[in-house]
Amino acid sequence: MKRKLRGLPFMLACVSSVLLPAEALAQRRGARRVSPRPRVSLETVNARFNQITDAYLSGYYAFNPSEATALGLHEYDAQLESRSPEAVAQEVRRLRAALSALLRIWDGALSADARLDYQVLVSHAQAQLLELETVRMWQRDPNIYNRLAASSIDNILKRNYAPIEQRLDALLAREREITRLLNEARTNLDNPPRIYTEMAIAQVRGSREYFSRVVPQMIERAGGGRLSAARRAQIETSNESVIAALGSFGDWLERDLLPRSAGSFAIGAENYRRKLLYEEMVDTPLAHLLANGERELRRTQEQMRSLAEEIAPGRGITYALRQLASEHPTADGLVGDARADLLRIRAFVRTQNVLTPPPSENLIVA
């Protein structure tokens, strides 16, 4: 349970060592706590919490199988996300039931570690509900679908966690579902912000390049040369179908969705406040956060003006940034320069005794 729980995307990086009292936590969440039955043993409460946690995580990773793969949970490798309205509604029901069960737990009876896990789970469930029911990025951001299509395959290929044949079975299973996922996007997306659609159009072009060029290279490096001709043909056909599906999706984004993309990217102050509370456990008033941010912006701008004066005296920040941007490798020399930079970084790490890189772990720039 612990290993999976710490993989949650909203796991708090710095949970205070002083736990909130149970009553304060309930008030902060806006939830009504249910008193525990009398004479319930501590072991029973902890066992019930562990049971709820395991069920919660299983459901979460079933809804987000690509994330599970990225975290090393490979029982979900052959599955691809569904974001159909029916799948989202089912996940909302599951989250509500899990949250209700959690709020019936007497967290005062939990161990210290379990109380931290309890706070994380309650916040995570509320964050997921806020996203799926209110913010609804699955209806507003077309790049969610493109990103899932690419990352679901990348997470299988970039780590050598199983023999290549086993991973290719998972790859093929997911690639068969990508067209279905992109069709769900066509159904779901409704008046997204124009900038979201423009970004997705550009990203889809990159994903097509990824499937046409990078995926075959990754398969080859993982041992694809040992595959039979029939197996290689199967993979090539599957990959080509994904490239075609992404091409069709990109055309739809540009010709259909973009002209009607006039929504706002703002989610509103109250939703933003709740996101901060649920995802980060930050309850600082937004006005204070804004004032702090503006103060930091002014400080940063002053530092930029000072540095710009050193780089290009009298020319200003914009000119200095353009001058810095002009200093880059050529397209033909990019890979070689990146490889040389990596060698310098590796040498520095070793000579300065920062750490000892494992001999088997060696980044390759190609």
Side-chain angles (χ1 to χ4, degrees):
M1 181 188 72
K2 297 287 185 187
R3 176 175 65 89
K4 295 183 182 180
L5 182 57
R6 288 176 181 144
L8 283 173
F10 298 112
M11 179 63 186
L12 305 178
C14 299
V15 177
S16 171
S17 60
V18 180
L19 294 172
L20 291 172
E23 295 80 11
L25 179 61
Q27 186 178 26
R28 184 179 183 181
R29 300 287 182 250
R32 180 174 174 268
R33 297 301 302 273
V34 178
S35 299
R37 292 182 300 171
R39 293 189 296 276
V40 174
S41 70
L42 302 185
E43 291 79 7
T44 299
V45 175
N46 279 271
R48 175 58 178 153
F49 174 64
N50 290 341
Q51 182 183 42
I52 293 171
T53 299
D54 288 342
Y56 181 90
L57 292 170
S58 294
Y60 176 76
Y61 290 124
F63 188 66
N64 300 281
S66 297
E67 186 175 325
T69 299
L71 293 170
L73 306 175
H74 296 296
E75 58 265 42
Y76 305 91
D77 283 0
Q79 303 171 31
L80 183 66
E81 282 78 356
S82 175
R83 291 299 181 264
S84 68
E86 296 78 14
V88 171
Q90 181 179 345
E91 178 66 358
V92 166
R93 289 192 295 271
R94 186 193 72 82
L95 288 165
R96 289 198 171 281
L99 185 58
S100 177
L102 282 168
L103 293 174
R104 288 196 295 271
I105 290 286
W106 176 34
D107 58 341
L110 298 174
S111 67
D113 283 350
R115 285 200 298 276
L116 291 174
D117 289 346
Y118 177 87
Q119 292 184 32
V120 170
L121 275 184
V122 169
S123 290
H124 186 268
Q126 292 184 313
Q128 293 296 297
L129 285 168
L130 177 66
E131 163 57 34
L132 294 176
E133 291 188 298
T134 305
V135 178
R136 305 174 78 89
M137 293 299 284
W138 57 281
Q139 290 183 320
R140 303 174 66 223
D141 185 0
N143 203 40
I144 285 177
Y145 301 90
N146 168 65
R147 188 165 56 244
L148 283 173
S151 66
S152 69
I153 302 305
D154 192 58
N155 289 332
I156 289 172
L157 289 177
K158 69 183 178 183
R159 295 192 180 114
N160 187 26
Y161 63 86
I164 183 60
E165 278 286 1
Q166 179 181 331
R167 287 186 285 146
L168 288 177
D169 285 341
L171 177 146
L172 291 169
R174 283 187 171 173
E175 286 196 342
R176 283 192 291 269
E177 296 298 317
I178 286 176
T179 297
R180 183 263 306 157
L181 178 67
L182 298 178
N183 285 335
E184 290 174 356
R186 290 178 171 92
T187 299
N188 294 340
L189 293 166
D190 179 30
N191 192 31
R194 186 176 182 86
I195 186 63
Y196 285 7
T197 306
E198 290 173 341
M199 291 174 65
I201 290 168
Q203 292 296 318
V204 166
R205 295 191 190 108
S207 291
R208 293 191 72 204
E209 177 73 8
Y210 168 77
F211 278 97
S212 63
R213 187 176 63 85
V214 179
V215 167
Q217 290 178 353
M218 295 176 78
I219 292 174
E220 198 67 24
R221 289 174 188 154
R226 299 189 298 270
L227 300 174
S228 68
R231 183 66 155 168
R232 293 172 72 90
Q234 181 188 28
I235 295 166
E236 184 177 344
T237 299
S238 177
N239 217 39
E240 287 175 351
S241 72
V242 172
I243 295 167
L246 285 167
S248 174
F249 184 58
D251 289 343
W252 176 81
L253 289 174
E254 197 158 4
R255 297 174 184 174
D256 188 317
L257 189 62
L258 184 62
R260 53 189 176 90
S261 295
S264 171
F265 60 82
I267 64 173
E270 176 58 18
N271 288 333
Y272 188 66
R273 182 194 68 80
R274 291 169 66 194
K275 278 180 71 68
L276 284 175
L277 180 62
Y278 299 155
E279 297 179 14
E280 308 293 342
M281 284 192 177
V282 171
D283 57 5
T284 305
L286 295 185
H288 293 179
L289 291 175
L290 179 60
N292 292 341
E294 289 175 339
R295 183 171 59 253
E296 185 64 20
L297 175 62
R298 290 190 295 270
R299 188 183 70 83
T300 302
Q301 288 172 333
E302 184 56 40
Q303 288 180 323
M304 291 180 69
R305 278 189 285 270
S306 177
L307 288 171
E309 190 62 23
E310 294 180 21
I311 296 168
R315 298 296 188 95
I317 294 174
T318 301
Y319 182 89
L321 288 173
R322 286 175 180 166
Q323 184 171 326
L324 290 173
S326 68
E327 299 174 5
H328 58 77
T330 63
D332 292 339
L334 179 59
V335 171
D337 284 2
R339 189 180 293 122
D341 284 343
L342 180 60
L343 289 173
R344 283 193 293 270
I345 293 169
R346 185 180 290 121
F348 176 84
V349 167
R350 286 175 173 160
T351 58
Q352 300 301 314
N353 294 319
V354 176
L355 56 83
T356 303
S360 61
E361 299 296 332
N362 189 22
L363 291 175
I364 298 173
V365 179

